[in-house]
Amino acid sequence: MDPPAAIESTATTEPFAPAVPSKMMTPVQFDPAKHLSYSPPSSILKMEDLGLSSTALSSVASTEPFPLLSYEAVLQHRRELFTPDVLDNCLHRTRPGSVQLRGMAPRYSPFIHQFWHSPEVLKIISENAGVDLVPAMDYEICHTNVQLSPDGIAGVRATPVEPPAATEDAIAQFEKDKRKPQAVTDQTKPIIEWHKDSHPFVCVVMLSDARHMVGGETELQKADGTTVKVKSPQMGCAVILQGRYITHTAAPATNMPERVTIVTSFRPRDPTLLDETTNANVRNKSHLTELYYQWTTYRLDVLAERARIAAEALRERYEENVKKTDKEGKKGLCRVETVNVAKMEKWANEQITYLNQTLYEMRPLGQ
């Protein structure tokens, strides 16, 4: 799966450049009737199918590819992604064969921001993931992986809004290779190495014409070391993966003029659920001033909500104790235990660990 990046030690970041104004575009508002083309996945791979245990969040490992974006939505994503503003400010070099676009929403990509925050899209993602999810952070909306052509960065800047179709040679290679047995992804020229994601769930969408694409599959590692491939999604189709807990990679496309995929990362909406989100794969390919602001505020919001829920539970327990033990039902001198100190200590230590992890994920690069 094409996640938010992967190896900190080898990736480099494009130097920050002043924005070059893009051509004025008519704002497009998200319309689910126009921009969604959803059909449920034909099957869902469970964690046990990989020999893995269900996590505290879900038993879902990965969906089969399923239709999600309409053609109009694909074009609007591409229209907002490949603008001078995004390419000048949000492009990061990651590996010799690929670049990534990160952090464009909402500033440069308002439609993309609306799309991935919409109740309709979140309902689809959550139902298929088996847990109620929200975008991890705005910075992790529509992380874009672009496989470089021989034209390099210049080719990225020339990316058309209309996805290019396969050439006759590409179709011939597709017809030849589709009869070959699938092999483990060749890692001599990977677009992404074997890895686990920084966020619990990701939704990966293909923005290229993949009808005749050779390669492009997601490969998952099972508990016994063997692997299983999830076929590459077609244009506008999505795959949902619990990528934080599954080692996986993505095969490069070998015959197409482009391979553009977008990845939006998700975390549980419920602040009391397990949250093992990290910045491990993204710190060295982000503008840290913005990433750390979004990271810190999201973590503090989670802590504040956890504290509110804990305090409300204590108030309710106190009310019950007063009713049971005070003939007059008066507060102020309840003589039975409301606060279980051992449980409170456990809760407090969990929040301290959460805070310490919040700080650790903002350590200097290279550590």
PDB file of all heavy atoms in Angstrom, residues 321-322 325 334-339:
ATOM      1  N   ASN A 321     -23.706   7.019  44.458  1.00  0.00           N
ATOM      2  CA  ASN A 321     -23.296   6.733  45.832  1.00  0.00           C
ATOM      3  C   ASN A 321     -24.062   7.590  46.843  1.00  0.00           C
ATOM      4  O   ASN A 321     -24.455   7.116  47.914  1.00  0.00           O
ATOM      5  CB  ASN A 321     -21.793   6.970  45.993  1.00  0.00           C
ATOM      6  CG  ASN A 321     -20.959   5.887  45.327  1.00  0.00           C
ATOM      7  OD1 ASN A 321     -21.448   4.776  45.085  1.00  0.00           O
ATOM      8  ND2 ASN A 321     -19.705   6.199  45.027  1.00  0.00           N
ATOM      9  N   VAL A 322     -24.270   8.873  46.480  1.00  0.00           N
ATOM     10  CA  VAL A 322     -25.013   9.759  47.379  1.00  0.00           C
ATOM     11  C   VAL A 322     -26.442   9.251  47.537  1.00  0.00           C
ATOM     12  O   VAL A 322     -26.990   9.183  48.654  1.00  0.00           O
ATOM     13  CB  VAL A 322     -24.984  11.207  46.859  1.00  0.00           C
ATOM     14  CG1 VAL A 322     -25.979  12.077  47.640  1.00  0.00           C
ATOM     15  CG2 VAL A 322     -23.576  11.791  46.968  1.00  0.00           C
ATOM     16  N   THR A 325     -26.504   6.117  49.829  1.00  0.00           N
ATOM     17  CA  THR A 325     -25.974   6.136  51.195  1.00  0.00           C
ATOM     18  C   THR A 325     -26.424   7.314  52.044  1.00  0.00           C
ATOM     19  O   THR A 325     -26.243   7.295  53.260  1.00  0.00           O
ATOM     20  CB  THR A 325     -24.435   6.128  51.149  1.00  0.00           C
ATOM     21  OG1 THR A 325     -23.968   7.311  50.478  1.00  0.00           O
ATOM     22  CG2 THR A 325     -23.919   4.898  50.424  1.00  0.00           C
ATOM     23  N   CYS A 334     -20.009  12.300  51.185  1.00  0.00           N
ATOM     24  CA  CYS A 334     -20.215  10.909  50.771  1.00  0.00           C
ATOM     25  C   CYS A 334     -19.155  10.033  51.422  1.00  0.00           C
ATOM     26  O   CYS A 334     -17.952  10.314  51.321  1.00  0.00           O
ATOM     27  CB  CYS A 334     -20.131  10.792  49.253  1.00  0.00           C
ATOM     28  SG  CYS A 334     -20.509   9.152  48.646  1.00  0.00           S
ATOM     29  N   ARG A 335     -19.591   8.971  52.116  1.00  0.00           N
ATOM     30  CA  ARG A 335     -18.684   8.168  52.907  1.00  0.00           C
ATOM     31  C   ARG A 335     -18.315   6.826  52.253  1.00  0.00           C
ATOM     32  O   ARG A 335     -17.763   5.950  52.905  1.00  0.00           O
ATOM     33  CB  ARG A 335     -19.279   7.911  54.300  1.00  0.00           C
ATOM     34  CG  ARG A 335     -19.474   9.198  55.101  1.00  0.00           C
ATOM     35  CD  ARG A 335     -20.072   8.907  56.468  1.00  0.00           C
ATOM     36  NE  ARG A 335     -20.315  10.137  57.219  1.00  0.00           N
ATOM     37  CZ  ARG A 335     -19.417  10.734  57.992  1.00  0.00           C
ATOM     38  NH1 ARG A 335     -18.201  10.213  58.105  1.00  0.00           N
ATOM     39  NH2 ARG A 335     -19.721  11.845  58.632  1.00  0.00           N
ATOM     40  N   VAL A 336     -18.661   6.662  50.975  1.00  0.00           N
ATOM     41  CA  VAL A 336     -18.242   5.448  50.266  1.00  0.00           C
ATOM     42  C   VAL A 336     -17.314   5.855  49.122  1.00  0.00           C
ATOM     43  O   VAL A 336     -17.337   6.991  48.647  1.00  0.00           O
ATOM     44  CB  VAL A 336     -19.452   4.666  49.703  1.00  0.00           C
ATOM     45  CG1 VAL A 336     -20.329   4.173  50.830  1.00  0.00           C
ATOM     46  CG2 VAL A 336     -20.251   5.511  48.738  1.00  0.00           C
ATOM     47  N   GLU A 337     -16.514   4.893  48.724  1.00  0.00           N
ATOM     48  CA  GLU A 337     -15.489   5.180  47.715  1.00  0.00           C
ATOM     49  C   GLU A 337     -16.109   5.479  46.346  1.00  0.00           C
ATOM     50  O   GLU A 337     -16.895   4.693  45.828  1.00  0.00           O
ATOM     51  CB  GLU A 337     -14.538   3.987  47.581  1.00  0.00           C
ATOM     52  CG  GLU A 337     -13.446   4.194  46.529  1.00  0.00           C
ATOM     53  CD  GLU A 337     -12.641   2.940  46.273  1.00  0.00           C
ATOM     54  OE1 GLU A 337     -13.120   2.093  45.480  1.00  0.00           O
ATOM     55  OE2 GLU A 337     -11.575   2.791  46.883  1.00  0.00           O
ATOM     56  N   THR A 338     -15.748   6.629  45.802  1.00  0.00           N
ATOM     57  CA  THR A 338     -16.120   6.961  44.427  1.00  0.00           C
ATOM     58  C   THR A 338     -14.916   6.792  43.499  1.00  0.00           C
ATOM     59  O   THR A 338     -15.034   6.253  42.402  1.00  0.00           O
ATOM     60  CB  THR A 338     -16.632   8.403  44.335  1.00  0.00           C
ATOM     61  OG1 THR A 338     -17.871   8.511  45.058  1.00  0.00           O
ATOM     62  CG2 THR A 338     -16.870   8.813  42.883  1.00  0.00           C
ATOM     63  N   VAL A 339     -13.757   7.232  43.972  1.00  0.00           N
ATOM     64  CA  VAL A 339     -12.536   7.124  43.181  1.00  0.00           C
ATOM     65  C   VAL A 339     -11.772   5.879  43.589  1.00  0.00           C
ATOM     66  O   VAL A 339     -11.327   5.760  44.735  1.00  0.00           O
ATOM     67  CB  VAL A 339     -11.643   8.369  43.361  1.00  0.00           C
ATOM     68  CG1 VAL A 339     -10.350   8.218  42.550  1.00  0.00           C
ATOM     69  CG2 VAL A 339     -12.382   9.633  42.959  1.00  0.00           C
TER      70      VAL A 339
END
